[in-house]
């Protein structure tokens, strides 16, 4: 009986997970991404950014993730700037919570976000091949686009949807570093332009906020 009960529990959880990942993607119309729940918001991005689609997957076998992308690209599909929006929540089969330790927060149209930023060479530090970053870049390339440079500066904005911290909205804004005449190694610790990073990061955050609007439902 215990074996049968355990089997039924596993089967039930599998069905729940399957139903969650099979739910329809959130829809974008023009420059607006609409989310009916978790959270119920409209996210609007600047007219220079083109929506190229979204996809869903289970991340690290512990969380559902849904990604959407708005890109500013040249005629050859080289992406100079982008917004990557990710809705993420832990599966009901675990009790994990998000525990980001960021201390800087910003409020965007009534929603509080933890804000952090960094410079990174994606070829030197590509991250896990099954991670959300690698999946996101593969999706972008599947749509005929490619990041203009391996050296990118990134602004991450994290909003926890409920007090239990099991669901989050993540907005990532990325820019090609080439117009700065710098590489990631230059502004990271020990780099020749390390002293410029705070100024660069402040400008990055300002542009990330300026290029988006949030309307709560």
């Amino acid at each position: 009986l215990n074996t049968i009960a355990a089997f039924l529990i596993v089967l039930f959880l599998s069905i729940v997970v399957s139903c969650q990942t099979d739910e329809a993607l959130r829809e974008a119309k023009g420059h607006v991404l609409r989310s009916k729940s978790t959270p119920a918001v409209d996210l609007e991005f600047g007219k220079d950014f083109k929506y190229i689609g979204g996809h869903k997957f289970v991340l690290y076998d512990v969380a559902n993730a849904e990604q959407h992308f708005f890109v500013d690209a040249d005629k050859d599909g080289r992406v100079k700037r982008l917004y990557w929006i990710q809705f993420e929540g832990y599966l009901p089969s675990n009790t994990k919570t998000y525990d980001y330790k960021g201390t800087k927060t910003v409020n965007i149209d009534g929603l509080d976000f933890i804000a952090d930023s960094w410079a990174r060479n994606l070829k030197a530090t590509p991250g896990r091949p099954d991670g959300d970053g690698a999946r996101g870049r593969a999706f972008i390339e599947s749509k005929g686009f490619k990041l203009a440079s391996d050296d990118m500066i990134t602004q991450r904005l994290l909003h926890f949807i409920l007090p239990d911290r099991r669901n989050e909205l993540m907005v990532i804004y990325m820019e090609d570093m080439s117009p700065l005449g710098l590489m990631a190694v230059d502004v990271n610790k020990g780099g020749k332009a390390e002293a410029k990073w705070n100024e660069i990061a402040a400008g990055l955050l300002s542009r990330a906020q300026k290029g988006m609007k949030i309307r709560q439902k």
Side-chain angles (χ1 to χ4, degrees), residues 11 19 28 62 79 83 87 97 129 134 149-150 156 164 198 211:
L11 179 62
C19 289
V62 297
V79 177
Y83 280 98
F87 302 89
T97 58
S149 169
D150 289 323
R156 181 172 63 176
D164 64 8
N198 287 341

Side-chain angles (χ1 to χ4, degrees), residues 31-176:
H31 300 279
V32 179
L33 178 62
R34 295 189 167 97
S35 175
K36 294 181 179 179
S37 63
T38 325
V41 294
D42 286 347
L43 301 167
E44 182 176 356
F45 300 93
K47 293 184 179 180
D48 290 335
F49 294 88
K50 174 185 177 181
Y51 179 67
I52 62 169
H55 65 149
K56 299 178 79 168
F57 53 90
V58 175
L59 180 62
Y60 304 141
D61 295 324
V62 297
N64 283 322
E66 177 177 340
Q67 295 180 333
H68 295 265
F69 298 90
F70 290 79
V71 304
D72 177 14
D74 64 20
K75 60 182 178 62
D76 297 318
R78 289 163 49 87
V79 177
K80 301 173 291 182
R81 303 180 297 164
L82 68 84
Y83 280 98
W84 150 15
I85 305 93
Q86 185 158 316
F87 302 89
E88 187 177 316
Y90 283 113
L91 300 174
S93 56
N94 65 62
T95 59
K96 294 179 179 292
T97 58
Y98 294 103
D99 60 352
Y100 297 101
K101 300 291 193 296
T103 57
K104 182 179 179 61
T105 61
V106 296
N107 185 282
I108 303 176
D109 298 327
L111 289 186
D112 290 324
F113 290 85
I114 293 174
D116 58 355
S117 58
W118 58 86
R120 178 179 168 195
N121 181 284
L122 296 171
K123 184 174 289 185
T125 54
R128 289 177 56 168
D130 59 343
D132 49 358
R135 288 172 183 260
R137 293 191 295 276
F139 180 83
I140 290 169
E141 291 185 8
S142 77
K143 297 297 181 178
F145 296 88
K146 186 176 182 179
L147 297 180
S149 169
D150 289 323
D151 288 282
M152 304 290 291
I153 47 176
T154 299
Q155 176 66 58
R156 181 172 63 176
L157 300 164
L158 293 164
H159 171 70
F160 300 114
I161 297 164
L162 295 171
D164 64 8
R165 289 194 166 206
R166 283 184 51 81
N167 291 273
E168 68 176 12
L169 165 64
M170 179 173 70
V171 179
I172 286 183
Y173 174 69
M174 299 176 68
E175 289 183 350
D176 170 22

